Amino acid sequence: QMVMLDDTTFAVLGGISGMHHGSRTAHIERVSTSEASPRVLSWQLHSPSPAKNRQGVQVVGDQLLVFGGNRSLEQHDFGPEDFRADAFALDLATMQTEAIPSYPVARQTVQTLALDGALLALGGFGHDGQKARSHADAYAFDFTRRAWAPHGSVLPSPRTQFGVTADQDNLWIFGGLDYDPSRTQEAAQFTHPTSVLTAKRGEPFVATDVQLPHPRRAFAGAALDGKYFMVGGMAEGFAPVKECDVFTFATKSWSSMHCPASSRISAQLVPLDGKLYLVGGSSPVSEKELVPAPALEVYDPTTDSWTTLLDTIPVEPRHLTALAYRHALLLYSAHHAEDTILVTLIVPPVGKE
């Protein structure tokens, strides 16, 4: 069991693993976040779902909700049977999993947001019975009722690989891809929408007059202190986006920021205690070659600068999800040949990165 003792110390208590039956020797480990180096804690658990990547993942309270995804370890297996709807909740205090009702549709790359004790799930990519394409629907999971239901904040058109966030009472969507193989011209099958969308909670998203400075999908994005930060990703023709953009909600204006040492595709950007943590994804080494990006980098908005917290994370970088959990960075990955999931907590040192 993991308990937050105070603002600078976790206690990790041993117990029963989700992949074992019976008890094992208990242990207690105090993880002080005031030390000079980050602390890394990992759990390998049995996976309740056959999905291997691109699942919807979100932290709500002490629960990690995981749903949907693709059952293949490969990148482009898009048959109807490859998309999954399975869902489960992982209790982050006990590391025990519990099956919950399946997502209403079999889908991957659904974008998620925690809202008032519920989970909002938007868009994504899945099979419609004839072809695999982007989608525009919205669902919410109510933790009290333990049920999914359609949500009013649907997208005006299909999108996947976008960024979603909340600022006060408004929801915002940035970037993404509208892919539909039924379009006649191949170039038109990959449409990168540049309009920024917004919605009141529970109402449909609408396009604003704000346009992205640089079209991008599969990027790392996060909101912090009234701004939305966009790093990396891909544009038309699978080209990496080298620019890094910042949107200020109050003025609806764009500015630029320093970029990390190398571009990343499908990375994660997580706000935590006033800084942004960039983790996972792949970096281009040539026009046609991508390699895993193993480093954990940290952006300080007060100095507009990047530092490296870890040269190598203990998780395969290309298919992970990163989220904030209390004062720690939580990494989740199911991209293994075995039926396992890996959950890692990285606790940054206080006063450092």
Side-chain angles (χ1 to χ4, degrees):
Q1 183 176 5
M2 183 172 62
V3 180
M4 193 70 186
L5 300 179
D6 54 44
D7 284 344
T8 62
T9 308
F10 285 96
V12 183
L13 288 69
I16 302 174
S17 166
M19 62 183 296
H20 292 276
H21 300 282
S23 61
R24 64 180 182 185
T25 304
H27 67 278
I28 299 176
E29 181 177 4
R30 294 175 65 92
V31 181
S32 174
T33 61
S34 61
E35 296 178 3
S37 301
R39 294 299 303 269
V40 180
L41 305 164
S42 293
W43 292 263
Q44 183 172 292
L45 309 171
H46 173 72
S47 176
S49 168
K52 298 297 185 182
N53 61 62
R54 299 188 177 104
Q55 294 160 290
V57 185
Q58 187 56 254
V59 171
V60 181
D62 288 323
Q63 298 276 307
L64 183 72
L65 189 68
V66 182
F67 64 92
N70 192 296
R71 69 174 186 172
S72 176
L73 289 169
E74 303 302 323
Q75 295 290 309
H76 300 106
D77 286 342
F78 298 144
E81 68 282 356
D82 293 316
F83 298 97
R84 303 296 307 183
D86 315 76
F88 65 92
L90 171 66
D91 189 312
L92 293 171
T94 64
M95 289 295 158
Q96 299 292 302
T97 59
E98 172 194 5
I100 61 173
S102 295
Y103 195 56
V105 288
R107 196 159 295 167
Q108 69 174 49
T109 326
V110 176
Q111 302 305 307
T112 64
L113 193 64
L115 291 176
D116 304 323
L119 174 71
L120 178 61
L122 300 168
F125 185 69
H127 212 279
D128 65 4
Q130 296 185 354
K131 60 186 179 299
R133 62 175 180 86
S134 304
H135 292 267
D137 42 10
Y139 298 94
F141 183 77
D142 187 316
F143 276 78
T144 301
R145 296 175 52 244
R146 310 297 278 184
W148 294 95
H151 192 272
S153 294
V154 296
L155 281 62
S157 59
R159 287 200 195 196
T160 186
Q161 299 181 15
F162 57 88
V164 59
T165 191
D167 179 65
Q168 299 182 2
D169 292 330
N170 296 318
L171 307 178
W172 295 84
I173 285 178
F174 298 85
L177 172 70
D178 178 3
Y179 173 74
D180 190 336
S182 66
R183 295 178 184 133
T184 305
Q185 296 184 347
E186 184 176 356
Q189 296 175 2
F190 294 84
T191 301
H192 292 74
T194 58
S195 60
V196 175
L197 308 181
T198 190
K200 296 292 184 182
R201 300 187 185 191
E203 297 180 5
F205 279 93
V206 295
T208 68
D209 57 1
V210 179
Q211 300 291 314
L212 293 185
H214 305 95
R216 68 178 86 208
R217 63 181 170 102
F219 61 91
L224 179 66
D225 294 335
K227 298 180 178 182
Y228 188 76
F229 299 78
M230 304 179 73
V231 175
M234 286 188 293
E236 301 282 352
F238 302 93
V241 181
K242 298 180 180 180
E243 298 84 1
C244 296
D245 300 315
V246 183
F247 179 74
T248 300
F249 292 106
T251 60
K252 296 183 180 179
S253 61
W254 292 98
S255 58
S256 60
M257 59 183 283
H258 275 107
C259 291
S262 61
S263 299
R264 297 200 196 195
I265 295 169
S266 299
Q268 309 278 298
L269 192 64
V270 180
L272 183 65
D273 294 335
K275 297 183 180 178
L276 295 172
Y277 290 75
L278 180 67
V279 61
S282 303
S283 294
V285 293
S286 68
E287 290 186 1
K288 297 183 178 181
E289 184 181 3
L290 296 172
V291 297
L296 169 57
E297 298 178 80
V298 189
Y299 177 75
D300 186 341
T302 64
T303 59
D304 188 27
S305 62
W306 292 88
T307 55
T308 299
L309 185 60
L310 288 174
D311 291 324
T312 303
I313 58 173
V315 182
E316 206 287 325
R318 291 172 297 178
H319 295 283
L320 63 80
T321 300
L323 298 160
Y325 177 56
R326 300 181 183 265
H327 295 279
L329 185 69
L330 186 152
L331 309 182
Y332 171 91
S333 175
H335 198 248
H336 315 284
E338 303 81 10
D339 292 330
T340 59
I341 56 177
L342 184 65
V343 179
T344 296
L345 284 176
I346 299 175
V347 187
V350 170
K352 306 291 182 181
E353 286 73 27

